[in-house]
Coordinates of all heavy atoms in Angstrom, one line a residue:
M167 N 96.3 163.1 154.3 CA 95.2 163.6 155.1 C 95.6 164.2 156.4 O 96.4 163.6 157.1 CB 94.2 162.3 155.3 CG 93.1 162.6 156.2 SD 92.1 161.1 156.5 CE 90.7 161.5 155.6
V168 N 95.1 165.3 156.8 CA 95.5 166.0 158.0 C 94.2 166.1 158.9 O 93.2 166.6 158.4 CB 96.0 167.4 157.7 CG1 96.3 168.1 159.0 CG2 97.3 167.3 156.8
L169 N 94.3 165.6 160.1 CA 93.2 165.6 161.0 C 93.6 166.3 162.3 O 94.8 166.4 162.7 CB 92.7 164.2 161.3 CG 92.3 163.5 160.1 CD1 92.1 162.0 160.5 CD2 91.1 164.0 159.4
C170 N 92.7 166.8 163.1 CA 93.1 167.5 164.4 C 92.9 166.5 165.5 O 92.3 165.5 165.5 CB 92.2 168.7 164.5 SG 90.5 168.4 164.9
F171 N 93.6 166.9 166.6 CA 93.6 166.1 167.9 C 92.2 165.7 168.3 O 92.0 164.5 168.7 CB 94.2 167.0 168.9 CG 94.5 166.3 170.3 CD1 95.4 165.4 170.5 CD2 93.6 166.5 171.3 CE1 95.6 164.7 171.6 CE2 93.8 165.9 172.5 CZ 94.8 164.9 172.7
N172 N 91.2 166.6 168.4 CA 89.9 166.2 168.8 C 89.3 165.1 168.0 O 88.5 164.3 168.5 CB 89.0 167.5 168.8 CG 89.3 168.5 169.8 OD1 89.9 168.1 170.8 ND2 89.1 169.8 169.6
F173 N 89.5 165.1 166.7 CA 89.0 164.1 165.9 C 89.5 162.6 166.4 O 88.7 161.7 166.5 CB 89.4 164.3 164.4 CG 89.0 163.2 163.5 CD1 87.7 163.0 163.1 CD2 89.9 162.2 163.1 CE1 87.3 162.0 162.3 CE2 89.5 161.2 162.3 CZ 88.2 161.0 161.8
Y174 N 90.8 162.6 166.7 CA 91.4 161.3 167.1 C 90.8 160.9 168.4 O 90.7 159.7 168.7 CB 92.9 161.5 167.2 CG 93.5 161.4 165.9 CD1 94.1 162.4 165.3 CD2 93.6 160.1 165.2 CE1 94.7 162.3 164.0 CE2 94.2 160.1 163.9 CZ 94.7 161.2 163.4 OH 95.3 161.0 162.1
I175 N 90.7 161.8 169.4 CA 90.2 161.4 170.7 C 88.8 160.8 170.6 O 88.5 160.0 171.4 CB 90.3 162.7 171.7 CG1 91.8 163.1 171.9 CG2 89.6 162.3 173.0 CD1 92.6 162.0 172.4
K176 N 88.0 161.4 169.7 CA 86.6 160.9 169.6 C 86.4 159.6 168.9 O 85.4 159.0 169.0 CB 85.8 162.0 169.0 CG 85.6 163.2 169.9 CD 84.8 164.4 169.2 CE 84.8 165.6 170.1 NZ 84.1 166.7 169.5
L177 N 87.5 159.2 168.1 CA 87.3 158.0 167.4 C 87.3 156.8 168.3 O 88.1 156.7 169.2 CB 88.5 157.8 166.4 CG 88.4 158.5 165.1 CD1 89.7 158.2 164.3 CD2 87.2 158.0 164.3
E178 N 86.4 155.9 168.1 CA 86.2 154.7 168.9 C 86.4 153.5 168.0 O 86.2 152.3 168.4 CB 84.8 154.6 169.5 CG 84.6 155.7 170.5 CD 85.5 155.6 171.7 OE1 86.0 154.5 172.1 OE2 85.8 156.7 172.3
L179 N 87.0 153.6 166.8 CA 87.2 152.5 165.9 C 88.4 151.6 166.4 O 89.4 152.1 166.5 CB 87.5 152.9 164.5 CG 86.3 153.8 163.9 CD1 86.7 154.3 162.5 CD2 85.1 153.0 163.7
K180 N 88.1 150.4 166.6 CA 89.1 149.6 167.3 C 90.4 149.5 166.6 O 91.5 149.6 167.2 CB 88.5 148.1 167.4 CG 89.4 147.2 168.1 CD 88.8 145.8 168.3 CE 89.8 144.9 168.9 NZ 89.3 143.5 168.8
D181 N 90.4 149.3 165.3 CA 91.7 149.0 164.6 C 92.0 150.1 163.6 O 92.8 149.9 162.7 CB 91.7 147.6 163.9 CG 91.6 146.5 164.9 OD1 92.3 146.6 165.9 OD2 91.0 145.5 164.6
F182 N 91.5 151.2 163.7 CA 91.6 152.4 162.8 C 93.1 152.7 162.6 O 93.5 152.9 161.4 CB 90.9 153.5 163.2 CG 90.8 154.7 162.2 CD1 90.0 154.6 161.1 CD2 91.7 155.7 162.3 CE1 90.0 155.6 160.2 CE2 91.7 156.8 161.4 CZ 90.8 156.7 160.3
F183 N 93.9 152.7 163.7 CA 95.3 153.2 163.6 C 96.3 152.0 163.5 O 97.4 152.3 163.3 CB 95.6 153.9 164.8 CG 94.8 155.2 165.0 CD1 93.8 155.3 165.9 CD2 95.0 156.3 164.2 CE1 93.0 156.4 166.1 CE2 94.2 157.5 164.3 CZ 93.2 157.5 165.3
K184 N 95.8 150.8 163.6 CA 96.7 149.6 163.6 C 97.6 149.7 162.3 O 97.1 149.7 161.2 CB 95.9 148.4 163.6 CG 96.8 147.1 163.8 CD 96.0 145.9 164.1 CE 96.9 144.8 164.0 NZ 96.7 143.8 165.0
D185 N 98.9 149.6 162.5 CA 99.9 149.5 161.5 C 99.9 150.7 160.6 O 100.5 150.7 159.5 CB 99.7 148.2 160.6 CG 99.8 147.0 161.4 OD1 100.7 147.0 162.4 OD2 99.2 146.0 161.3
K186 N 99.4 151.8 161.0 CA 99.4 153.1 160.2 C 100.7 153.8 160.6 O 101.2 153.7 161.7 CB 98.3 154.0 160.5 CG 96.9 153.4 160.1 CD 96.7 153.3 158.7 CE 95.3 153.0 158.4 NZ 95.1 152.0 157.4
L187 N 101.3 154.6 159.7 CA 102.5 155.4 160.0 C 102.1 156.8 160.1 O 101.5 157.3 159.1 CB 103.6 155.3 158.9 CG 104.9 156.0 159.1 CD1 105.5 155.7 160.5 CD2 105.8 155.8 158.0
I188 N 102.2 157.3 161.3 CA 101.7 158.7 161.6 C 102.8 159.6 162.0 O 103.7 159.3 162.8 CB 100.6 158.6 162.7 CG1 99.5 157.7 162.2 CG2 100.1 160.0 163.0 CD1 98.4 157.4 163.3
L189 N 102.8 160.9 161.4 CA 103.7 161.9 161.8 C 103.0 162.9 162.7 O 101.9 163.4 162.4 CB 104.2 162.7 160.6 CG 105.1 163.9 160.8 CD1 106.4 163.5 161.6 CD2 105.3 164.6 159.5
D190 N 103.5 162.9 164.0 CA 102.9 163.9 165.0 C 103.8 165.1 165.0 O 104.9 165.1 165.6 CB 102.9 163.1 166.3 CG 102.4 164.0 167.5 OD1 101.8 165.1 167.2 OD2 102.4 163.6 168.6
V191 N 103.4 166.1 164.4 CA 104.2 167.4 164.4 C 103.8 168.3 165.5 O 102.6 168.5 165.8 CB 103.9 168.2 163.1 CG1 104.6 169.5 163.0 CG2 104.2 167.3 161.8
G192 N 104.8 168.7 166.3 CA 104.5 169.4 167.5 C 104.0 168.6 168.6 O 103.0 168.9 169.3
T193 N 104.7 167.5 168.9 CA 104.3 166.5 169.8 C 104.1 167.0 171.2 O 103.4 166.4 172.1 CB 105.2 165.2 169.7 OG1 104.5 164.1 170.4 CG2 106.5 165.5 170.4
G194 N 105.0 168.0 171.6 CA 104.9 168.4 173.0 C 105.3 167.3 173.9 O 106.4 166.7 173.7
S195 N 104.5 167.0 174.9 CA 104.9 165.9 175.9 C 104.7 164.5 175.4 O 105.1 163.5 176.0 CB 104.1 166.1 177.2 OG 102.8 165.9 177.0
G196 N 104.1 164.4 174.1 CA 103.9 163.2 173.5 C 102.5 162.5 173.8 O 102.4 161.3 173.5
A197 N 101.6 163.2 174.3 CA 100.3 162.6 174.7 C 99.6 162.0 173.5 O 99.1 160.9 173.5 CB 99.4 163.6 175.4
L198 N 99.5 162.7 172.4 CA 98.8 162.2 171.2 C 99.6 161.0 170.6 O 99.0 160.0 170.2 CB 98.6 163.3 170.1 CG 97.9 162.9 168.9 CD1 96.6 162.3 169.2 CD2 97.7 164.1 168.0
A199 N 101.0 161.1 170.5 CA 101.8 160.0 170.0 C 101.6 158.7 170.9 O 101.4 157.6 170.4 CB 103.2 160.4 170.0
E200 N 101.5 158.9 172.2 CA 101.2 157.7 173.1 C 99.8 157.1 172.7 O 99.7 155.9 172.6 CB 101.2 158.2 174.5 CG 100.9 157.1 175.5 CD 101.0 157.6 176.9 OE1 101.8 158.4 177.3 OE2 100.2 157.1 177.8
F201 N 98.8 158.0 172.7 CA 97.5 157.5 172.3 C 97.5 156.7 171.0 O 96.9 155.5 171.0 CB 96.5 158.6 172.2 CG 95.2 158.3 171.7 CD1 94.3 157.7 172.5 CD2 94.8 158.5 170.3 CE1 92.9 157.4 171.9 CE2 93.6 158.2 169.8 CZ 92.7 157.6 170.7
L202 N 98.1 157.2 170.0 CA 98.2 156.5 168.7 C 99.0 155.2 168.8 O 98.6 154.2 168.2 CB 98.8 157.5 167.6 CG 98.0 158.8 167.4 CD1 98.8 159.8 166.6 CD2 96.7 158.4 166.6
A203 N 100.1 155.3 169.5 CA 100.9 154.1 169.6 C 100.1 152.9 170.3 O 100.1 151.8 169.9 CB 102.2 154.3 170.3
F204 N 99.4 153.3 171.4 CA 98.6 152.2 172.0 C 97.5 151.8 171.2 O 96.9 150.7 171.5 CB 98.2 152.7 173.4 CG 99.2 152.6 174.5 CD1 99.7 153.7 175.2 CD2 99.8 151.4 174.8 CE1 100.7 153.7 176.2 CE2 100.8 151.3 175.8 CZ 101.2 152.4 176.4
K205 N 97.1 152.5 170.2 CA 96.1 152.0 169.2 C 96.6 151.3 168.2 O 95.9 150.9 167.2 CB 95.3 153.3 168.8 CG 94.4 154.0 169.7 CD 93.2 153.1 170.1 CE 92.4 153.8 171.1 NZ 91.2 153.0 171.5
G206 N 97.9 151.1 168.1 CA 98.6 150.2 167.2 C 99.4 150.9 166.0 O 99.9 150.3 165.2
A207 N 99.4 152.2 166.1 CA 100.2 153.0 165.1 C 101.6 153.0 165.3 O 102.1 152.8 166.4 CB 99.7 154.4 165.0
R208 N 102.4 153.2 164.3 CA 103.8 153.6 164.4 C 103.9 155.1 164.2 O 103.3 155.5 163.3 CB 104.6 152.8 163.3 CG 104.7 151.3 163.5 CD 105.4 150.7 162.3 NE 104.6 150.8 161.1 CZ 105.1 151.3 159.9 NH1 106.4 151.8 159.9 NH2 104.3 151.5 158.9
V209 N 104.6 155.7 165.2 CA 104.5 157.2 165.2 C 105.9 157.8 165.1 O 106.8 157.3 165.8 CB 103.8 157.7 166.5 CG1 103.7 159.2 166.5 CG2 102.5 157.1 166.7
V210 N 106.1 158.8 164.3 CA 107.2 159.7 164.3 C 106.8 161.0 165.0 O 106.0 161.7 164.4 CB 107.8 159.9 162.9 CG1 109.0 160.8 162.9 CG2 108.2 158.6 162.2
A211 N 107.2 161.2 166.2 CA 106.8 162.4 167.0 C 107.9 163.5 166.9 O 109.1 163.2 167.3 CB 106.5 162.0 168.4
T212 N 107.6 164.7 166.5 CA 108.6 165.7 166.4 C 108.1 167.0 167.1 O 106.9 167.2 167.2 CB 109.0 166.0 164.9 OG1 107.8 166.6 164.3 CG2 109.4 164.8 164.1
D213 N 109.1 167.8 167.5 CA 108.8 169.2 168.0 C 110.0 169.9 167.8 O 111.1 169.5 167.8 CB 108.5 169.0 169.5 CG 107.7 170.1 170.0 OD1 108.2 171.3 170.1 OD2 106.5 169.9 170.4
V214 N 109.8 171.2 167.6 CA 110.9 172.2 167.5 C 111.5 172.5 168.8 O 112.8 172.8 168.8 CB 110.4 173.5 166.8 CG1 109.5 174.3 167.8 CG2 111.5 174.3 166.3
S215 N 110.9 172.2 170.0 CA 111.4 172.5 171.2 C 112.3 171.2 171.8 O 111.7 170.1 171.9 CB 110.4 172.8 172.2 OG 110.8 172.7 173.6
K216 N 113.5 171.5 172.1 CA 114.3 170.4 172.7 C 113.8 169.9 174.0 O 113.8 168.7 174.4 CB 115.8 170.8 172.8 CG 116.5 171.0 171.6 CD 117.9 171.6 171.7 CE 118.6 171.8 170.3 NZ 119.9 172.3 170.6
K217 N 113.2 170.9 174.8 CA 112.6 170.5 176.1 C 111.4 169.6 175.9 O 111.2 168.7 176.7 CB 112.2 171.8 176.9 CG 113.4 172.5 177.5 CD 112.9 173.7 178.3 CE 114.1 174.4 178.9 NZ 113.7 175.5 179.7
A218 N 110.6 169.9 175.0 CA 109.4 169.0 174.7 C 109.8 167.7 174.3 O 109.2 166.7 174.7 CB 108.5 169.7 173.6
V219 N 110.8 167.6 173.4 CA 111.3 166.3 173.0 C 111.9 165.4 174.1 O 111.7 164.3 174.2 CB 112.3 166.4 171.8 CG1 113.1 165.1 171.5 CG2 111.7 166.9 170.5
S220 N 112.6 166.1 175.0 CA 113.1 165.5 176.2 C 112.0 164.9 177.1 O 112.0 163.9 177.6 CB 113.9 166.4 177.0 OG 115.1 166.7 176.4
A221 N 110.9 165.7 177.2 CA 109.7 165.3 178.0 C 109.1 164.1 177.4 O 108.7 163.1 178.0 CB 108.7 166.4 178.1
A222 N 108.9 164.1 176.0 CA 108.3 163.0 175.3 C 109.2 161.8 175.4 O 108.6 160.7 175.7 CB 108.1 163.4 173.8
R223 N 110.5 161.9 175.3 CA 111.4 160.7 175.4 C 111.2 160.1 176.8 O 111.2 158.9 176.9 CB 112.8 161.1 175.2 CG 113.1 161.3 173.6 CD 114.6 161.5 173.5 NE 114.8 161.5 172.0 CZ 115.6 162.4 171.4 NH1 116.2 163.4 172.1 NH2 115.7 162.4 170.1
A224 N 111.1 160.9 177.8 CA 111.0 160.4 179.2 C 109.7 159.7 179.3 O 109.6 158.6 179.9 CB 111.1 161.6 180.2
R225 N 108.6 160.2 178.7 CA 107.3 159.6 178.7 C 107.4 158.2 178.0 O 106.8 157.2 178.5 CB 106.3 160.5 178.0 CG 104.9 159.9 177.9 CD 104.0 160.9 177.2 NE 102.6 160.7 177.5 CZ 101.9 161.6 178.1 NH1 102.3 162.9 178.2 NH2 100.6 161.3 178.3
F226 N 108.0 158.2 176.9 CA 108.0 156.9 176.0 C 109.0 155.9 176.7 O 108.8 154.7 176.5 CB 108.5 157.2 174.7 CG 107.6 158.3 173.9 CD1 108.2 159.1 173.0 CD2 106.3 158.3 174.2 CE1 107.4 160.0 172.3 CE2 105.4 159.3 173.6 CZ 106.0 160.1 172.6
A227 N 109.9 156.3 177.5 CA 110.8 155.4 178.1 C 110.1 154.5 179.1 O 110.6 153.4 179.5 CB 112.0 156.1 178.8
Q228 N 109.0 154.9 179.5 CA 108.2 154.2 180.6 C 107.5 152.9 180.1 O 107.1 152.1 180.9 CB 107.2 155.0 181.2 CG 107.8 156.3 181.8 CD 108.8 156.1 182.9 OE1 108.6 155.3 183.8 NE2 109.9 156.7 182.8
S229 N 107.5 152.7 178.8 CA 106.7 151.6 178.2 C 107.4 150.9 177.0 O 107.9 151.7 176.1 CB 105.3 152.1 177.7 OG 104.7 151.2 176.9
L230 N 107.5 149.7 177.1 CA 108.1 148.9 175.9 C 107.4 149.1 174.7 O 108.0 149.3 173.6 CB 108.1 147.4 176.3 CG 108.7 146.5 175.2 CD1 110.2 146.8 174.8 CD2 108.6 145.0 175.6
I231 N 106.1 149.2 174.7 CA 105.3 149.4 173.5 C 105.6 150.8 172.9 O 105.8 150.9 171.7 CB 103.7 149.3 173.8 CG1 103.4 147.9 174.1 CG2 102.9 149.9 172.7 CD1 101.9 147.7 174.6
L232 N 105.7 151.7 173.8 CA 106.1 153.1 173.2 C 107.5 153.2 172.7 O 107.7 153.8 171.6 CB 105.8 154.2 174.3 CG 104.4 154.3 174.8 CD1 104.4 155.4 176.0 CD2 103.5 154.8 173.7
R233 N 108.4 152.5 173.3 CA 109.8 152.5 172.9 C 109.8 151.8 171.5 O 110.7 152.2 170.7 CB 110.7 151.8 173.8 CG 110.9 152.6 175.1 CD 112.0 152.2 176.0 NE 112.0 150.7 176.2 CZ 111.4 150.3 177.3 NH1 110.9 151.0 178.2 NH2 111.4 148.9 177.6
E234 N 109.0 150.8 171.2 CA 109.0 150.1 170.0 C 108.3 150.8 168.9 O 108.6 150.7 167.7 CB 108.4 148.7 170.1 CG 109.2 147.8 171.0 CD 108.6 146.4 171.2 OE1 107.4 146.3 170.9 OE2 109.3 145.5 171.6
R235 N 107.2 151.6 169.2 CA 106.4 152.2 168.2 C 106.5 153.6 167.9 O 106.0 154.2 167.0 CB 104.9 151.9 168.6 CG 104.5 150.4 168.6 CD 103.0 150.3 168.8 NE 102.6 148.9 168.9 CZ 101.5 148.5 169.4 NH1 100.7 149.3 169.8 NH2 101.3 147.2 169.4
V236 N 107.3 154.4 168.9 CA 107.4 155.8 168.6 C 108.9 156.1 168.5 O 109.7 155.8 169.3 CB 106.8 156.5 169.9 CG1 107.0 158.1 169.7 CG2 105.4 156.2 170.1
T237 N 109.2 157.0 167.4 CA 110.5 157.6 167.2 C 110.3 159.0 167.4 O 109.3 159.6 166.8 CB 110.9 157.3 165.8 OG1 110.9 155.9 165.6 CG2 112.3 157.8 165.5
V238 N 111.1 159.7 168.2 CA 110.9 161.1 168.6 C 112.2 161.9 168.3 O 113.3 161.3 168.4 CB 110.5 161.2 170.0 CG1 111.5 160.7 171.0 CG2 110.1 162.7 170.3
G239 N 112.1 163.1 167.8 CA 113.2 163.9 167.6 C 112.9 165.3 167.4 O 111.7 165.7 167.2
V240 N 113.9 166.2 167.3 CA 113.7 167.7 167.2 C 113.7 167.9 165.7 O 114.6 167.5 164.9 CB 114.9 168.4 167.8 CG1 114.7 170.0 167.5 CG2 115.0 168.1 169.3
S241 N 112.6 168.6 165.3 CA 112.4 168.9 163.9 C 111.4 170.1 163.8 O 110.5 170.3 164.6 CB 111.8 167.7 163.1 OG 111.5 168.1 161.8
D242 N 111.6 171.0 162.8 CA 110.7 172.1 162.5 C 109.9 171.6 161.3 O 110.4 171.5 160.2 CB 111.5 173.3 162.2 CG 110.7 174.5 162.0 OD1 109.4 174.4 162.2 OD2 111.1 175.5 161.6
L243 N 108.6 171.2 161.6 CA 107.8 170.7 160.5 C 108.4 169.4 159.9 O 108.5 168.4 160.6 CB 107.3 171.7 159.5 CG 106.6 172.9 160.0 CD1 106.3 173.9 159.0 CD2 105.2 172.4 160.7
F244 N 108.8 169.5 158.7 CA 109.3 168.3 158.0 C 110.8 168.2 157.9 O 111.3 167.2 157.4 CB 108.6 168.2 156.7 CG 107.1 168.2 156.6 CD1 106.5 169.4 156.3 CD2 106.4 167.1 157.1 CE1 105.0 169.4 156.4 CE2 105.0 167.1 157.2 CZ 104.3 168.2 156.7
D245 N 111.5 169.1 158.5 CA 112.9 169.1 158.5 C 113.5 167.9 159.3 O 112.9 167.6 160.3 CB 113.6 170.4 159.1 CG 113.3 171.6 158.3 OD1 112.9 171.4 157.1 OD2 113.4 172.8 158.8
R246 N 114.6 167.4 158.9 CA 115.3 166.4 159.7 C 114.6 165.0 159.8 O 115.0 164.2 160.6 CB 115.7 166.8 161.0 CG 116.6 168.1 160.9 CD 117.1 168.6 162.2 NE 118.0 167.6 162.8 CZ 117.8 167.1 164.0 NH1 116.8 167.5 164.8 NH2 118.6 166.2 164.5
L247 N 113.5 164.7 159.2 CA 112.8 163.4 159.3 C 113.7 162.2 158.9 O 113.6 161.2 159.6 CB 111.5 163.4 158.5 CG 110.4 164.3 158.9 CD1 109.1 164.2 158.1 CD2 110.0 164.0 160.4
E248 N 114.4 162.4 157.8 CA 115.3 161.3 157.5 C 116.4 161.0 158.6 O 116.6 159.9 158.8 CB 116.1 161.7 156.2 CG 116.9 160.6 155.6 CD 117.6 160.9 154.3 OE1 117.0 161.7 153.5 OE2 118.7 160.4 154.1
E249 N 116.9 162.1 159.1 CA 117.9 161.9 160.3 C 117.2 161.3 161.5 O 117.8 160.4 162.1 CB 118.5 163.3 160.6 CG 119.5 163.3 161.7 CD 120.1 164.6 162.0 OE1 120.0 165.6 161.1 OE2 120.5 164.8 163.1
I250 N 116.0 161.7 161.8 CA 115.4 161.1 163.0 C 115.0 159.7 162.8 O 115.2 158.9 163.7 CB 114.1 162.0 163.3 CG1 114.5 163.4 163.7 CG2 113.3 161.3 164.4 CD1 113.3 164.4 163.7
T251 N 114.5 159.4 161.7 CA 114.0 158.0 161.4 C 115.0 157.0 160.8 O 114.9 155.8 160.9 CB 112.8 158.0 160.4 OG1 113.2 158.5 159.2 CG2 111.6 158.8 161.0
G252 N 116.1 157.6 160.2 CA 117.1 156.8 159.5 C 116.5 156.2 158.2 O 117.1 155.2 157.7
Q253 N 115.4 156.7 157.7 CA 114.8 156.2 156.4 C 114.6 157.3 155.6 O 114.2 158.5 155.9 CB 113.5 155.5 156.7 CG 113.6 154.3 157.6 CD 112.3 153.7 157.9 OE1 111.4 153.7 157.1 NE2 112.2 153.2 159.1
K254 N 114.7 157.1 154.2 CA 114.4 158.1 153.2 C 113.0 158.0 152.6 O 112.4 156.9 152.6 CB 115.5 157.9 152.0 CG 116.8 158.3 152.3 CD 117.6 158.2 151.1 CE 119.1 158.5 151.4 NZ 120.0 158.5 150.2
N255 N 112.4 159.1 152.2 CA 111.2 159.2 151.5 C 110.0 158.4 152.2 O 109.3 157.6 151.6 CB 111.4 158.6 150.1 CG 112.4 159.4 149.3 OD1 112.4 160.6 149.4 ND2 113.2 158.6 148.6
L256 N 109.9 158.6 153.5 CA 108.8 158.0 154.3 C 107.5 158.5 153.8 O 107.4 159.7 153.5 CB 108.9 158.3 155.7 CG 109.8 157.4 156.6 CD1 109.9 157.9 158.0 CD2 109.4 156.0 156.5
K257 N 106.5 157.7 153.6 CA 105.2 158.1 153.3 C 104.2 157.9 154.5 O 104.0 156.7 154.9 CB 104.7 157.3 152.1 CG 105.5 157.6 150.8 CD 104.9 157.3 149.6 CE 105.8 157.5 148.3 NZ 106.3 158.8 148.2
F258 N 103.7 158.9 155.0 CA 102.9 158.8 156.3 C 101.4 158.6 155.8 O 101.0 159.2 154.9 CB 103.0 160.0 157.0 CG 104.4 160.2 157.7 CD1 105.4 161.0 157.0 CD2 104.8 159.6 158.8 CE1 106.6 161.1 157.5 CE2 106.1 159.7 159.3 CZ 107.0 160.5 158.7
D259 N 100.8 157.8 156.6 CA 99.3 157.6 156.4 C 98.5 158.9 156.9 O 97.5 159.2 156.2 CB 98.8 156.3 157.1 CG 99.5 155.1 156.6 OD1 99.3 154.8 155.4 OD2 100.1 154.4 157.4
Y260 N 99.0 159.4 157.9 CA 98.4 160.6 158.5 C 99.4 161.5 159.1 O 100.5 161.1 159.5 CB 97.4 160.3 159.7 CG 96.3 159.3 159.2 CD1 96.3 158.0 159.5 CD2 95.2 159.8 158.5 CE1 95.3 157.1 159.0 CE2 94.2 159.0 158.0 CZ 94.2 157.6 158.2 OH 93.3 156.7 157.9
V261 N 99.1 162.8 159.1 CA 99.9 163.8 159.8 C 98.9 164.5 160.8 O 97.9 165.0 160.4 CB 100.5 164.9 158.8 CG1 101.2 166.0 159.5 CG2 101.4 164.2 157.8
V262 N 99.4 164.5 162.0 CA 98.6 165.2 163.1 C 99.4 166.3 163.7 O 100.6 166.2 163.6 CB 98.1 164.1 164.2 CG1 97.2 163.1 163.6 CG2 99.4 163.5 164.9
F263 N 98.7 167.2 164.3 CA 99.4 168.3 165.0 C 98.6 168.9 166.1 O 97.4 168.5 166.3 CB 99.6 169.5 163.9 CG 98.4 169.9 163.2 CD1 97.6 170.8 163.7 CD2 98.0 169.2 162.1 CE1 96.5 171.3 163.0 CE2 96.8 169.6 161.4 CZ 96.1 170.6 161.9

């Protein structure tokens, strides 16, 4: 299932994201990944830009919750996910962009 950013921001369901595995493609500074992690999701946040990934890492370093729930790395769409996560054949509950 693929949903857009605006859909997530409008959701008010308390536990909708709890324990979900979400791929955030094109994470940029990591704002959406942060939102999802604080809602209880585990997030793999990727971006093709090394500068964006550096900004996201700096953002996530500020919080223990984010450090535990968000994995971030440089990737073009689905490339390098195994390398970033250290896991094979991950099945994501949602993909956001």
Side-chain angles (χ1 to χ4, degrees):
M167 177 182 249
V168 178
L169 302 172
C170 70
F171 182 78
N172 289 335
F173 175 78
Y174 281 108
I175 294 303
K176 292 177 182 175
L177 276 178
E178 296 295 333
L179 301 174
K180 182 180 176 190
D181 293 322
F182 187 81
F183 299 108
K184 187 173 175 139
D185 299 324
K186 301 289 190 223
L187 180 58
I188 300 175
L189 174 62
D190 179 8
V191 177
T193 196
S195 67
L198 181 55
E200 178 179 323
F201 171 82
L202 295 167
F204 279 121
K205 292 292 186 181
R208 292 174 296 125
V209 183
V210 176
T212 65
D213 203 293
V214 70
S215 166
K216 291 178 183 178
K217 286 184 179 182
V219 168
S220 292
R223 283 188 175 133
R225 179 186 203 120
F226 303 147
Q228 303 301 313
S229 164
L230 178 61
I231 291 172
L232 295 176
R233 289 193 308 268
E234 290 178 346
R235 293 187 185 164
V236 181
T237 302
V238 63
V240 176
S241 176
D242 186 7
L243 296 177
F244 303 103
D245 294 345
R246 302 188 61 237
L247 290 180
E248 183 178 329
E249 182 181 333
I250 292 166
T251 64
Q253 299 179 34
K254 291 183 180 184
N255 302 319
L256 279 176
K257 298 203 185 298
F258 293 95
D259 295 299
Y260 300 102
V261 176
V262 298
F263 51 93

